[in-house]
Amino acid sequence: MTRISSDPEKAEGQHPGLLQEVEDELFSMYSGTDLETEAGAKVALARFEFDAFTFDTSDWGWQEYDYWFVYSCHALAWAVAQYDTALVPAG
């Protein structure tokens, strides 16, 4: 069984049709796959198999956030603080 830790495009050469199968099985609105939660994504990736290909997610950092997400959270908190400061109390 071929296992790849992060990028299915690396295995496309050995497993023609892999990317389309990933699209159909994981990302299609008709697949029924729960990608809205971490647990659902883990289950979906663990169950996925195509032409002896599986995802090895054991070394994936599921709890790490990308810089853009953390930056957005800080920007949002700053914007809310600016709005709260600018409010004039009624009365």
Side-chain angles (χ1 to χ4, degrees):
M1 219 175 253
T2 302
R3 298 178 70 85
I4 190 165
S5 61
S6 61
D7 191 356
E9 291 180 3
K10 292 179 182 177
E12 176 71 22
Q14 296 173 339
H15 306 280
L18 175 64
L19 293 180
Q20 185 61 50
E21 189 69 12
V22 167
E23 182 69 32
D24 293 344
E25 292 296 318
L26 298 178
F27 299 116
S28 170
M29 61 189 263
Y30 304 109
S31 72
T33 304
D34 172 24
L35 297 180
E36 297 295 321
T37 65
E38 178 183 326
K42 286 180 177 181
V43 168
L45 290 172
R47 289 183 180 167
F48 181 84
E49 184 176 342
F50 175 76
D51 189 31
F53 171 89
T54 60
F55 285 99
D56 178 10
T57 61
S58 60
D59 63 343
W60 289 12
W62 292 92
Q63 299 297 323
E64 296 175 17
Y65 297 110
D66 285 334
Y67 75 92
W68 62 266
F69 178 77
V70 175
Y71 183 77
S72 297
C73 290
H74 285 284
L76 181 60
W78 177 85
V80 168
Q82 295 298 310
Y83 177 80
D84 288 344
T85 302
L87 284 180
V88 177

